[in-house]
Amino acid sequence: MVDGVGSKVCVVGGGPAGLLSSYVLVNLGFEVSIFEEHREVGIPRHCSGMLSDYVVSSLSGFVKDCVVGRFRSYALILDTHSSFKEVSTLTFNEYVYAVDREKLEKNVYEVLTSSGVDVRLKNKVMEISFNPLRITLESGKYETCDYVVVGEGAVRRLSKSLGFCKSVKNAFGLQAVIKTSKTLEVPYVVLSKFFDKDSFGWVIPLENKEALVGVISRNNLRLRLAYLIKKFLRYEGLRDLNLINVFGGLIPLDTPCSTVIKEHNVIAVGDAASMIKPISKGGLYPITLSIQALRKSVRRGDIDLKLYVENMKSIVSKLRTQHIVKDVVMFFGGYYNLVKLLNEFKVREVKVLKYDDLVLKGMSLISKR
Ligand SMILES: Cc1cc2nc3c(=O)[nH]c(=O)nc-3n(C[C@H](O)[C@H](O)[C@H](O)COP(=O)(O)OP(=O)(O)OC[C@H]3O[C@@H](n4cnc5c(N)ncnc54)[C@H](O)[C@@H]3O)c2cc1C
């Protein structure tokens, strides 16, 4: 017997979490309908698309034509009073990839639709109700389902009302694509005392001498992005700003939420369950692990929700550990102070063994070089 035959799954949201969960379930024989409020998947663009080698390999079928850059290191830049100063380098054991996220989502969408999956664009889900389990759309129509997968992203309107997340705290990430006069070699991570202490800025080289400049913040976002761009232009000796595009999105700040409501067959995935790496703010790694957990939780035509919770435990624990590390860094004044310390102790290289889990291999001091 094919596993999911007969069971209908309604998926709220056509972001990576909803699409990839659908892909797994369709391949296990479930009948899946995806409801996405926008007219296309992948828009509006919000993500920087930095993915580890592990994520890219796991999603290789969808990612192959989406890679726009790959790097073995990041430059850690301290925003000093006068200028930017490169104080240290984060080097990785494996490549980190810059990926066109819109294309990635469109690739998954195409595979799903070409295999006949029912994807309903411009359909916003307003409510999820029980006994019987059903979703109600903005049009007033409703759909009865055996399972509902909530992949609504960081907004977490449904997740909060259903009780998955007790609190909903988000930051906002704002990014600009700008033209540069030369191709940057590596991404920059910028630490400034003008940013929130748990926040940072970044500059990621893209194709065609473009760069993605971004910052995370809870407030004064535009000012902070403008400040970062101005300082970056000065650092690179660029006179004029050639702005191509500005976009952004919400980033969950909370620890992982619950992932299932067992008695009602509802699962929350991705940002909807605050499954995000709290330090780098990456969400695709937890999503990749979650869909593996989902795949392993299907038994005899059903999603075994108890088993799913069991399979999710190691992921949740990884993310919680990162929250603890982050809290310790915040206790000592935040990322800016940490990088200032690296500068003071002349730590010129921090070797990262595992990008996603932030496992460090060691540090090199200038005196030992
Ligand atoms: C500025 C920024 C930079 C980032 N950079 C990275 C990065 O470099 N690497 C990384 O791994 N992660 C990054 N992330 C995080 C990553 O983008 C998210 O973790 C990821 O998009 C989460 O996927 P998701 O499917 O859970 O949610 P989303 O991508 O937000 O998708 C949710 C979907 O649900 C739809 N939706 C919402 N509500 C409803 C509803 N009621 N009915 C129907 N549809 C609905 C939305 O339209 C959307 O399409 C970044 C995020 C931001 C904001």
Side-chain angles (χ1 to χ4, degrees):
M1 174 190 165
V2 182
D3 260 334
V5 165
S7 295
K8 161 133 193 205
V9 186
C10 299
V11 176
V12 183
L19 292 171
L20 290 165
S21 302
S22 303
Y23 177 74
V24 164
L25 292 171
V26 166
N27 280 307
L28 288 168
F30 288 84
E31 184 196 334
V32 176
S33 295
I34 304 171
F35 299 86
E36 165 56 50
E37 65 177 320
H38 290 103
R39 64 187 153 77
E40 281 173 41
V41 301
I43 59 151
R45 186 175 170 190
H46 59 270
C47 176
S48 319
M50 297 304 286
L51 308 184
S52 67
D53 190 52
Y54 177 78
V55 172
V56 167
S57 315
S58 306
L59 306 178
S60 59
F62 301 119
V63 175
K64 57 184 182 309
D65 59 345
C66 310
V67 173
V68 293
R70 58 175 198 171
F71 311 98
R72 289 298 285 265
S73 63
Y74 288 177
L76 282 179
I77 307 277
L78 200 63
D79 174 27
T80 64
H81 180 64
S82 53
S83 168
F84 278 175
K85 179 180 179 198
E86 183 173 339
V87 297
S88 190
T89 306
L90 281 178
T91 53
F92 309 114
N93 227 22
E94 53 203 358
Y95 280 112
V96 176
Y97 294 85
V99 163
D100 179 339
R101 262 282 307 270
E102 182 180 338
K103 199 164 190 188
L104 169 60
E105 278 159 64
K106 289 200 158 62
N107 283 351
V108 188
Y109 170 80
E110 263 167 40
V111 169
L112 289 171
T113 47
S114 60
S115 52
V117 175
D118 170 32
V119 187
R120 298 194 217 167
L121 301 171
K122 290 193 352 201
N123 267 287
K124 182 170 182 173
V125 175
M126 301 307 289
E127 199 193 1
I128 298 170
S129 49
F130 310 125
N131 306 319
L133 180 61
R134 68 186 197 187
I135 57 164
T136 306
L137 303 172
E138 204 167 22
S139 60
K141 289 187 184 150
Y142 61 84
E143 196 83 20
T144 309
C145 337
D146 297 307
Y147 296 92
V148 173
V149 173
V150 183
E152 63 176 337
V155 51
R156 290 181 284 165
R157 190 179 59 82
L158 297 166
S159 327
K160 179 135 194 260
S161 69
L162 293 170
F164 282 111
C165 303
K166 287 192 184 71
S167 80
V168 172
K169 274 199 281 23
N170 288 315
F172 201 89
L174 190 65
Q175 313 188 83
V177 179
I178 63 169
K179 202 89 188 155
T180 57
S181 60
K182 58 180 188 220
T183 307
L184 302 179
E185 279 174 18
V186 293
Y188 298 169
V189 179
V190 183
L191 293 308
S192 169
K193 62 179 174 202
F194 297 114
F195 299 161
D196 298 336
K197 64 179 186 172
D198 61 345
S199 149
F200 52 87
W202 59 90
V203 183
I204 300 168
L206 301 175
E207 292 170 318
N208 308 321
K209 290 190 182 159
E210 288 176 5
L212 185 62
V213 187
V215 66
I216 299 169
S217 183
R218 292 189 197 82
N219 47 50
N220 292 333
L221 206 69
R222 275 192 233 161
L223 264 180
R224 284 173 178 175
L225 181 64
Y227 173 82
L228 179 62
I229 292 175
K230 197 170 132 202
K231 276 252 165 139
F232 167 71
L233 292 179
R234 198 184 304 156
Y235 182 63
E236 289 295 326
L238 299 167
R239 285 224 311 273
D240 301 314
L241 169 64
N242 192 342
L243 186 66
I244 296 169
N245 196 2
V246 179
F247 54 90
L250 294 172
I251 299 176
L253 295 174
D254 315 275
T255 51
C257 308
S258 317
T259 50
V260 299
I261 306 176
K262 286 199 200 84
E263 59 281 23
H264 296 303
N265 286 355
V266 187
I267 304 177
V269 289
D271 282 11
S274 196
M275 290 288 162
I276 196 122
K277 294 186 292 176
I279 297 174
S280 71
K281 321 291 185 208
L284 269 288
Y285 174 60
I287 289 173
T288 304
L289 298 180
S290 306
I291 59 168
Q292 291 165 3
L294 185 60
R295 185 178 288 125
K296 288 187 202 142
S297 309
V298 172
R299 292 277 181 275
R300 290 182 292 278
D302 286 319
I303 306 172
D304 181 336
L305 296 181
K306 207 167 149 213
L307 184 58
Y308 180 67
V309 172
E310 221 24 63
N311 291 337
M312 287 294 292
K313 270 190 181 154
S314 69
I315 305 161
V316 171
S317 131
K318 275 174 198 255
L319 299 179
R320 284 191 192 279
T321 307
Q322 290 195 16
H323 272 279
I324 293 169
V325 173
K326 188 188 123 185
D327 290 346
V328 171
V329 176
M330 290 314 115
F331 182 79
F332 289 103
Y335 301 139
Y336 175 75
N337 279 5
L338 182 70
V339 173
K340 239 171 76 178
L341 272 184
L342 294 181
N343 186 36
E344 274 157 29
F345 286 96
K346 300 199 185 326
V347 177
R348 294 297 179 239
E349 186 185 10
V350 179
K351 293 180 190 150
V352 181
L353 194 59
K354 283 191 171 182
Y355 178 81
D356 287 313
D357 297 328
L358 285 179
V359 177
L360 300 187
K361 196 172 159 195
M363 294 186 182
S364 307
L365 304 179
I366 194 165
S367 54
K368 292 192 182 159
R369 281 182 132 190

